[in-house]
Amino acid sequence: MYLTGTVIACRKAPDTGLIIELMVNGGVQVIAYEGSERRKVQSGDYVIATDFGHSSSNGAASCKSLKTIFRDFDSKNRKAKNSTNNYRNINKLEALRIRGLTIQHFQNTLGTQGYLPVSSPAIVSRWPDGNTVPFPIDYYGTDARLSISNMIYHQIMVMHGFGKIYEVGKSFRNETPSHPNRLAEYTTFDISRDTPVLETVEKTFEALIHSLCLYLEKQDFKNLCPPSRFQFDRITYRELLSRCGLESMPGAQLPPPVREYIAKNFESYLWVTNFPEYSRPFYARSRNGFCDDSQLWYRGKVYIAAGTVVEDDVESYVPKMIARNHRVENFEDYLVHVKNGVPPISQMAVGIERMLATWFDGMDAADFCWFPRYGKNISL
């Protein structure tokens, strides 16, 4: 028998010599080491334990042989949170396990509900050019971009008969973010399906969160524990601004006073619905200047999900593109698919790292990335 893992803690014990807590496949396992090289074991090291025998007095499996692969990081020159050095931190290791279990649970749950996993491209044409700044790249001599969203690709898929789909994908924002909660490269969990009722997709996501937390409660986490109770409230954009004494918002997102109001008056999740047409994508269905859309906010910190019903009036697409200063020619391939009409489509995109970070005090979105990208620093 042998066991391998990363040391997250170790302490002396009278009868065994050393009790070692290992991170093994994302979980914590305790072993007792009876060998002689005890001083060489420290947090962050990778060990291979062999020669197991009896159990110690505290029930831990006892081993006599321990091979150590040292992790000798220079603490003085360590690069904050967007560094692989942070893997020495037990909270970081548990955060990565939570991330993996979250994606696995979402996939398994939606799979049983008939959703099909799909993939959208990361390298795209120039359609992302607009309010959000994309990363420009040279694709074999062609001016291209890294994708900022999978939504238009999901629309095309649904238009061709794939009525219930989801995707675990990457998105990129060229905003030079300076904080570990603002990632230049992040993971989205996108759901799209053939329904004109956005609340259907919202309810699907609410059920995913509830079942995920029940699932995580059964795991053996040492430090991190997700909230045990969630509540989902709803309010329209106009009512929310009215309560805050505001007539409009200056940009596309809710201003700080509104976020403070949410934090004080809503203890859990809040769906903010029906944003003004000018602040949403051109394909968002709108009536009388307001969209059939929503954002999901958690205690006023950040919104973690955004969704919309796709506009069925295809004649409005080009005027809306022009109003948003989009170059219509960048969407030529997309417009080919919608020219004869659009079936009912509702969509929701969820930022995995952002969602998980809101649950744990002191944790940032970067903690839930294997190799986080933010600011100008790049590990590896």
Side-chain angles (χ1 to χ4, degrees):
M1 174 183 174
Y2 72 94
L3 192 66
T4 65
T6 299
V7 178
I8 59 175
C10 55
R11 63 184 184 275
K12 292 182 180 180
D15 59 339
T16 61
L18 199 65
I19 297 294
I20 303 174
E21 296 181 15
L22 293 177
M23 179 67 73
V24 180
N25 195 29
V28 179
Q29 188 156 338
V30 180
I31 64 172
Y33 175 50
E34 299 178 345
S36 59
E37 299 182 359
R38 298 166 192 164
R39 294 183 179 180
K40 294 184 179 180
V41 180
Q42 60 180 339
S43 297
D45 292 341
Y46 188 89
V47 299
I48 304 171
T50 57
D51 195 10
F52 281 86
H54 62 278
S55 296
S56 64
S57 59
N58 64 359
S62 178
C63 73
K64 295 182 178 180
S65 178
L66 199 70
K67 180 180 179 181
T68 304
I69 301 175
F70 298 102
R71 303 294 189 223
D72 186 18
F73 295 117
D74 184 353
S75 59
K76 294 182 180 179
N77 297 320
R78 190 171 297 171
K79 291 182 183 178
K81 286 192 174 182
N82 60 336
S83 168
T84 51
N85 293 350
N86 204 36
Y87 279 96
R88 291 168 61 94
N89 184 304
I90 174 59
N91 284 5
K92 172 71 173 181
L93 295 175
E94 288 197 333
L96 292 175
R97 183 183 178 208
I98 288 173
R99 172 202 170 95
L101 292 174
T102 296
I103 294 174
Q104 185 180 59
H105 178 77
F106 282 6
Q107 291 175 318
N108 291 343
T109 303
L110 290 184
T112 61
Q113 297 177 14
Y115 282 82
L116 185 72
V118 297
S119 296
S120 302
I123 300 174
V124 301
S125 65
R126 295 189 58 176
W127 67 261
D129 292 353
N131 295 331
T132 301
V133 183
F135 284 98
I137 62 171
D138 184 301
Y139 184 72
Y140 299 101
T142 300
D143 193 16
R145 303 287 183 268
L146 293 182
S147 180
I148 63 171
S149 170
N150 298 323
M151 292 292 94
I152 67 171
Y153 298 102
H154 279 213
Q155 292 169 28
I156 294 171
M157 295 173 192
V158 175
M159 291 174 200
H160 289 79
F162 296 91
K164 297 175 69 175
I165 58 177
Y166 75 87
E167 177 171 3
V168 181
K170 285 293 183 74
S171 292
F172 306 86
R173 298 295 172 97
N174 187 6
E175 299 173 348
T176 317
S178 58
H179 190 275
N181 263 333
R182 292 175 57 83
L183 302 177
E185 175 186 358
Y186 59 97
T187 310
T188 61
F189 193 88
D190 304 326
I191 303 173
S192 299
R193 63 163 304 172
D194 51 355
T195 175
V197 183
L198 182 59
E199 193 171 353
T200 301
V201 182
E202 294 170 353
K203 293 299 182 183
T204 297
F205 185 56
E206 290 178 13
L208 283 174
I209 289 181
H210 278 300
S211 60
L212 170 65
C213 289
L214 292 175
Y215 175 61
L216 292 178
E217 284 180 358
K218 300 177 183 178
Q219 310 304 315
D220 54 343
F221 297 115
K222 183 178 178 65
N223 291 348
L224 301 182
C225 181
S228 59
R229 189 177 75 85
F230 289 112
Q231 180 176 329
F232 292 87
D233 295 306
R234 299 180 69 85
I235 190 171
T236 66
Y237 157 86
R238 283 173 285 185
E239 182 180 355
L240 183 58
L241 263 62
S242 175
R243 291 188 186 183
C244 297
L246 301 175
E247 294 183 357
S248 63
M249 59 183 186
Q253 304 304 336
L254 297 178
V258 177
R259 301 183 189 192
E260 293 172 4
Y261 177 85
I262 293 175
K264 292 179 180 179
N265 294 277
F266 297 93
E267 63 179 18
S268 188
Y269 282 110
L270 175 68
W271 290 107
V272 182
T273 67
N274 306 115
F275 282 83
E277 180 182 286
Y278 69 83
S279 66
R280 302 299 100 176
F282 69 87
Y283 54 74
R285 188 174 74 182
S286 61
R287 298 294 183 265
N288 301 317
F290 293 91
C291 294
D292 292 334
D293 75 324
S294 63
Q295 286 184 347
L296 183 61
W297 287 77
Y298 183 70
R299 295 179 179 172
K301 295 180 180 180
V302 292
Y303 76 91
I304 64 170
T308 188
V309 178
V310 178
E311 178 64 75
D312 54 6
D313 178 14
V314 296
E315 297 298 324
S316 69
Y317 280 29
V318 171
K320 287 182 178 180
M321 290 178 184
I322 296 173
R324 290 160 177 73
N325 295 318
H326 294 321
R327 300 185 62 168
V328 178
E329 58 267 29
N330 291 342
F331 294 88
E332 286 182 352
D333 291 340
Y334 173 76
L335 292 173
V336 167
H337 292 278
V338 304
K339 67 178 182 179
N340 293 322
V342 174
I345 303 174
S346 292
Q347 305 181 286
M348 184 67 60
V350 180
I352 292 292
E353 298 91 355
R354 178 178 283 189
M355 180 190 77
L356 294 175
T358 60
W359 292 355
F360 307 99
D361 292 336
M363 302 296 284
D364 297 310
D367 291 313
F368 295 90
C369 291
W370 292 97
F371 300 94
R373 304 280 190 253
Y374 66 91
K376 295 183 179 180
N377 294 322
I378 299 181
S379 62
L380 293 182

